[in-house]
Amino acid sequence: MEFITETLAGFTAMSHWEYIAVALSMAYLLLAIKENLWCWPAAFFSTLIYTIMYWNGALLMESLLHFYYMYMAVYGWVIWRKGDANKHQLVITSWCLHQHLFIIIATSIVALIFGYVMNNHTHADFAYLDSFTTCFAVVTTYLVAKKVLENWLYWIVIDAASMYLYYEKGYYPTLALFIFYTIMAAWGFKTWYEEYEQNQAKPLAQL
């Protein structure tokens, strides 16, 4: 009963700005799954709100991450609108396992370094977890902008890990958003995979 009371209190205590950010974030995800260009403006304004909120909540890496998201929202808008170097519409691609292993190893090393620095030289909470979700989200956002199919698999793991972070910080509307994110990321992978197979007429990239 106490848990339910605390949870409801967390929802009612949140700023209306967080609810606006949650709504815009949901719009971004739904539009991104549909490959709709307007997902990027929704992403820009939601991340602007979160950048300020996380900084005030001492989640420094999350705040820096969302500042990066604002840049990537502009980049995503430009690249989705203009297409590839040959002026063709950007299509979904699949990267091989070796590329993903390199991404995972390299990003983990960087995350450990950032986590150590943040844990020992700043007032950051959950420094290592915050650093891991942040560093992987940086890379995965780039994969979204490039329409790499496997980005959705990364998001499933990142979003699931972020749930604990937001629960501990009392960001309950954002926690609910990330539960939604995790479910929708699975749907996003299914949707993009089906389109990838249809457009490429071949299975996922070989190892």
Side-chain angles (χ1 to χ4, degrees):
M1 189 67 181
E2 182 179 353
F3 169 77
I4 296 175
T5 302
E6 290 179 354
T7 301
L8 292 175
F11 274 100
T12 57
M14 290 300 101
S15 164
H16 64 281
W17 286 108
E18 185 177 0
Y19 287 105
I20 294 173
V22 167
L24 288 170
S25 297
M26 293 174 67
Y28 157 74
L29 183 58
L30 292 171
L31 292 170
I33 291 174
K34 296 295 184 180
E35 299 179 74
N36 188 304
L37 181 65
W38 289 97
C39 70
W40 298 112
F44 181 89
F45 288 107
S46 67
T47 54
L48 174 61
I49 297 171
Y50 276 124
T51 298
I52 299 171
M53 187 182 80
Y54 290 143
W55 183 267
N56 291 336
L59 293 178
L60 305 188
M61 289 297 290
E62 288 291 323
S63 181
L64 292 175
L65 170 64
H66 281 74
F67 185 79
Y68 163 79
Y69 280 166
M70 285 192 288
Y71 165 78
M72 289 304 297
V74 176
Y75 175 77
W77 170 274
V78 171
I79 195 171
W80 280 30
R81 188 179 183 188
K82 291 186 175 180
D84 61 22
N86 297 318
K87 305 301 181 183
H88 296 146
Q89 181 181 359
L90 195 66
V91 298
I92 298 170
T93 59
S94 175
W95 287 5
C96 69
L97 179 60
H98 294 90
Q99 290 173 291
H100 291 295
L101 284 175
F102 174 80
I103 289 173
I104 292 170
I105 294 171
T107 307
S108 295
I109 293 172
V110 173
L112 283 171
I113 295 172
F114 272 108
Y116 176 83
V117 172
M118 300 296 285
N119 190 54
N120 291 279
H121 300 287
T122 74
H123 64 288
D125 292 335
F126 306 100
Y128 285 99
L129 178 59
D130 193 11
S131 294
F132 267 89
T133 57
T134 297
C135 290
F136 274 95
V138 165
V139 175
T140 307
T141 302
Y142 175 78
L143 298 184
V144 176
K146 301 296 288 185
K147 287 194 178 180
V148 177
L149 171 65
E150 291 81 12
N151 87 81
W152 297 110
L153 301 180
Y154 285 89
W155 283 127
I156 291 172
V157 178
I158 295 168
D159 294 343
S162 296
M163 289 180 201
Y164 173 77
L165 194 63
Y166 299 136
Y167 171 76
E168 289 296 323
K169 294 299 294 184
Y171 295 149
Y172 295 117
T174 303
L175 170 62
L177 172 65
F178 271 70
I179 294 173
F180 171 79
Y181 268 3
T182 305
I183 297 171
M184 296 304 292
W187 180 45
F189 179 79
K190 177 179 181 295
T191 302
W192 278 33
Y193 176 59
E194 290 172 351
E195 182 174 340
Y196 174 83
E197 282 197 313
Q198 181 179 359
N199 292 341
Q200 302 295 324
K202 60 183 181 182
L204 291 176
Q206 300 297 315
L207 304 185

